[in-house]
């Protein structure tokens, strides 16, 4: 039996594999579309020219100011304490855990060798199923003193065994209460009480430039602390090439590496504001985290019923731009009559899906959902995600120059497990 070790997470997004802009993502109606992220590499600045003059004694006297005021960097002045990171780590560190997982994978024997005649011919030399063990490690944090922990779904996905190690060295077997690949959130339970927990912030109120701290176990280095700022908020899944997710990510330049997945991103007050989850391959200072408001919502459902149902239409789509419209016309020719200049173009309808049953067609351009105008697939995704399964959702589309009203009943998204 072979053993494979890896550090699950953060999810490593390879921009070289992102789909071309004319092909919508093929994930059974995951209402998002992958767009390549472009990076400028090895940019160097030319040294600025410096002109020096020797000021006269009189000029020097005029320009010298006694006791110049030194302004501290914003990351210090915002908290008023140069050692605020130390205090945050001392405060919350015990609530951050290491999560090790393992799963046994059995290779399948070709069906031909199950034939009795072939088995009689090959005898003991016939191929036998082989097993190998994959091991991974990630991070998590305690949300309830009775042993409830949150982490990334891909840290524990398909695991036969999950082990949780606390900062004080205690180790527990973990039970996966549920996982949601759509948002990459999972809930784990250990048999322990009176555990330290993290206080929760409000991820809806975050602003770019705020100081943040990440704690986790990157590359097996337990209890590693890094710091930085919030680089951006509201990064859509298509922005970062993770088009199979339904999350608006927080971007940070705090160092995140494999093994950080599932660990907390904290503000200067020690409140958890997000869960570290993804990096982009080959990039530096580009980490992404799931907002804590999303993590809390998903975790509550996982703890209550072991799963999360996401509304699903069953369409593949692309944001209609002049460039996309021209490319699609060149590909489809007369097969598609696209008269709209903006909106969300449906490029494929999944058979027997809610969209198919409601009568949506390839070439339809979504103009509004529930009376709210839409021009981007991210807007469609949010409105569908906030809709209710089984409840009629009015959608207005432009078809061959005519406005058509369609009522559709979202179903539960068929989720395919990772790995």
């Amino acid at each position: 039996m072979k053993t494979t070790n890896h550090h699950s997470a953060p999810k490593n997004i390879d921009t070289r594999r992102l789909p071309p802009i004319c092909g919508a993502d093929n994930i059974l109606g995951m209402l998002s579309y992958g767009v390549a992220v472009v990076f400028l590499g090895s940019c160097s600045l030319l040294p600025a020219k410096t002109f020096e003059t020797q000021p006269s004694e009189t000029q020097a006297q005029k320009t010298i100011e006694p006791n110049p005021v030194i302004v501290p960097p914003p990351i210090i002045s915002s908290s008023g304490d140069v050692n605020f990171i130390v205090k945050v780590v001392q405060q919350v560190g015990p609530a951050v855990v290491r999560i090790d997982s393992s799963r046994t994978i059995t290779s399948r024997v070709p069906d031909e060798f199950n034939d009795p005649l072939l088995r009689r011919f090959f005898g003991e030399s016939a191929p036998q199923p082989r097993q190998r063990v994959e091991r991974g490690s990630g991070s998590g944090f305690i949300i309830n003193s009775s042993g409830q922990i949150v982490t990334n779904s891909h840290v524990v996905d398909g695991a036969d065994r999950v082990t949780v190690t606390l900062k004080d060295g205690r180790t527990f077997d973990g039970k996966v209460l549920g996982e949601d690949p759509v948002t990459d959130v999972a809930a784990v339970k250990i048999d322990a009480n009176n555990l330290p927990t993290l206080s929760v912030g409000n991820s809806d109120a975050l602003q770019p430039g705020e100081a943040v701290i990440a704690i986790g176990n990157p590359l097996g280095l337990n209890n590693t602390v890094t710091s930085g700022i919030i680089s951006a908020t509201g990064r859509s899944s298509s922005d970062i090439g993770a088009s199979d997710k339904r999350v608006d990510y927080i971007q940070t330049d705090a160092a995140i590496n494999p093994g950080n997945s599932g660990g907390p991103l904290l503000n200067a007050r020690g409140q958890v504001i997000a869960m570290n989850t993804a990096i982009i391959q080959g990039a530096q200072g580009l980490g992404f985290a799931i907002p804590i408001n999303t993590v809390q919502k998903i975790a509550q459902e996982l703890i209550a019923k072991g799963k999360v149902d996401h509304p699903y239409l069953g369409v593949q789509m692309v944001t209609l731009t002049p460039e996309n419209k021209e490319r699609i016309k060149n590909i489809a020719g007369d097969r598609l009559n696209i008269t709209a200049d903006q909106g969300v173009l449906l490029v494929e309808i999944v058979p027997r899906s809610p969209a198919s049953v409601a009568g949506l067609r390839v070439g339809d351009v979504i103009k509004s959902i529930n009376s709210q105008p839409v021009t981007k697939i991210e807007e469609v995704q949010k409105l569908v995600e906030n809709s209710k399964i089984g409840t009629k959702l009015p959608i207005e589309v432009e078809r061959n120059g005519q406005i058509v009203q369609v009522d559709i009943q979202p179903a539960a998204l068929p989720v395919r497990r990772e790995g």
Side-chain angles (χ1 to χ4, degrees):
M1 181 182 296
K2 294 182 178 180
T3 301
T4 303
N5 291 297
H6 67 280
H7 300 286
S8 313
K11 292 292 282 184
N12 203 339
I13 300 169
D14 189 349
T15 56
R16 295 173 297 180
R17 294 185 176 181
L18 299 183
I21 207 163
C22 59
D25 88 67
N26 185 18
I27 50 172
L28 292 179
M30 295 294 289
L31 302 175
S32 160
Y33 181 71
V35 178
V37 182
V38 180
F39 302 95
L40 299 179
S42 302
C43 293
S44 60
L45 298 176
L46 295 177
K49 293 183 179 180
T50 302
F51 298 93
E52 296 184 356
T53 59
Q54 297 295 329
S56 65
E57 184 175 344
T58 304
Q59 289 174 327
Q61 291 176 351
K62 291 182 179 179
T63 56
I64 294 177
E65 295 181 4
N67 301 323
V69 177
I70 300 176
V71 180
I75 196 170
I76 296 175
S77 62
S78 63
S79 65
D81 184 358
V82 295
N83 292 319
F84 77 95
I85 295 178
V86 175
K87 293 183 178 179
V88 167
V89 173
Q90 291 174 343
Q91 172 188 338
V92 308
V96 182
V97 304
R98 171 174 175 150
I99 298 179
D100 293 290
S101 63
S102 63
R103 62 176 176 176
T104 302
I105 298 177
T106 303
S107 61
R108 184 171 171 269
V109 175
D111 293 337
E112 291 80 1
F113 287 97
N114 292 323
D115 187 287
L117 292 177
L118 284 178
R119 284 218 170 260
R120 183 182 305 172
F121 177 78
F122 284 99
E124 294 184 358
S125 63
Q128 299 296 319
R130 293 186 177 182
Q131 290 185 334
R132 60 186 174 90
V133 177
E134 285 189 351
R135 303 185 188 277
S137 65
S139 307
F141 52 94
I142 305 169
I143 60 172
N144 185 289
S145 61
S146 60
Q148 292 174 349
I149 297 167
V150 291
T151 185
N152 280 143
S153 173
H154 71 265
V155 171
V156 298
D157 181 61
D160 303 319
R161 183 179 181 185
V162 173
T163 303
V164 177
T165 303
L166 306 186
K167 187 179 181 181
D168 61 16
R170 287 183 292 166
T171 300
F172 299 86
D173 287 332
K175 177 184 177 183
V176 179
L177 300 178
E179 52 178 303
D180 180 40
V182 177
T183 56
D184 202 9
V185 174
V188 176
K189 177 73 168 65
I190 60 175
D191 188 12
N193 291 297
N194 300 318
L195 297 175
T197 62
L198 294 183
S199 60
V200 177
N202 179 13
S203 54
D204 289 340
L206 299 177
Q207 297 292 329
E210 289 186 41
V212 290
I213 304 159
I215 305 179
N217 309 291
L219 303 173
L221 301 173
N222 293 353
N223 309 119
T224 294
V225 179
T226 57
S227 68
I229 62 170
I230 294 175
S231 304
T233 59
R235 293 293 193 208
S236 70
S237 54
S238 58
D239 283 339
I240 72 169
S243 56
D244 60 331
K245 307 302 178 191
R246 293 189 182 182
V247 176
D248 282 341
Y249 295 92
I250 295 168
Q251 181 182 330
T252 178
D253 68 349
I256 297 176
N257 292 283
N260 269 117
S261 275
L265 189 68
L266 306 141
N267 62 20
R269 295 180 294 280
Q271 298 172 321
V272 58
I273 55 170
M275 176 193 290
N276 300 317
T277 188
I279 55 178
I280 291 181
Q281 185 177 20
Q284 295 183 0
L286 288 173
F288 299 92
I290 305 168
I292 193 60
N293 291 8
T294 300
V295 173
Q296 278 192 303
K297 175 185 174 184
I298 299 299
Q300 288 171 1
E301 291 193 51
L302 292 175
I303 293 169
K305 58 182 183 180
K307 65 174 185 176
V308 178
D309 290 325
H310 295 273
Y312 153 79
L313 300 185
V315 298
Q316 296 179 20
M317 56 192 178
V318 63
T319 296
L320 194 60
T321 64
E323 295 79 11
N324 284 349
K325 182 176 180 180
E326 185 64 27
R327 294 180 67 178
I328 292 169
K329 279 187 175 181
N330 292 336
I331 295 172
D334 296 333
R335 289 174 293 173
L336 287 180
N337 179 24
I338 305 173
T339 56
D341 292 321
Q342 64 177 3
V344 178
L345 174 68
L346 304 185
V347 296
E348 187 171 337
I349 307 295
V350 177
R352 297 179 296 279
S353 67
S356 176
V357 172
L360 289 177
R361 304 176 188 174
V362 171
D364 285 349
V365 177
I366 299 179
K367 305 296 289 186
S368 70
I369 296 180
N370 203 18
S371 300
Q372 298 187 48
V374 295
T375 58
K376 301 177 180 178
I377 58 174
E378 292 85 1
E379 296 168 346
V380 174
Q381 178 181 348
K382 289 179 182 179
L383 289 170
V384 173
E385 182 69 14
N386 292 330
S387 67
K388 293 183 178 180
I389 295 173
T391 300
K392 286 187 177 180
L393 184 67
I395 296 181
E396 187 180 84
V397 301
E398 183 172 327
R399 179 184 299 164
N400 296 322
Q402 301 295 320
I403 299 298
V404 179
Q405 185 79 26
V406 177
D407 288 330
I408 185 171
Q409 287 186 327
L413 173 69
V415 176
R416 295 186 295 180
R417 294 177 63 88
E418 298 190 17

